Amino acid sequence: NPGETTEPALRANLARAGVADQVEVVVGTSADVAARWREPVSLLWIDGDHSYEAARKDFELWEPFLLPDASVAFHDTFVFPHVERVVRELLIGSDRYDAFEYADTTTAARRRAARGASARLARRASIARRSLYGTRLRAYDSNTLGYARVRDGLGRLARFR
């Protein structure tokens, strides 16, 4: 809900995971915090306004702070077209990122410096896997060709064996 903070839930989850003492929670807008930030970043998690301009600006504000081997993750990539566009343009479209991974609606990549031929091939393979995963996820969510019904039915059959 607009104006509602998720900070208490975040702090509770960090405590439950036993990592609250290892995480510094910084509250503020992305632009305000980035303007005064001076530390290197090893993991950049972007989950904010789902408009193209906002998602792109979040990434552009924080990319200069990324360590050479940092990870970047965007939430809601397969379900919000504008966020997906930012991932395609700034991560997939750049040769600075590889090792693409995905879970549910999140896409992550690792920042890399120079690459040899085998690393370039691995990058292409991870992008292809991500593309196939996104196609499957969207087909399942939209129930294209009854995919969800068939997959759920097969899952039930497998549990009975």
Side-chain angles (χ1 to χ4, degrees), residues 95-138:
D95 63 355
R96 295 185 317 270
Y97 295 89
D98 63 11
F100 291 91
E101 298 291 339
Y102 39 84
D104 287 335
T105 63
T106 300
T107 295
R110 186 167 298 276
R111 189 175 191 191
R112 295 282 186 227
R115 284 180 208 63
S118 64
R120 286 192 301 272
L121 182 60
R123 180 181 191 279
R124 288 183 182 152
S126 69
I127 291 170
R129 282 192 309 274
R130 180 191 178 277
S131 179
L132 291 170
Y133 175 82
T135 300
R136 185 203 57 83
L137 183 71
R138 284 186 293 276

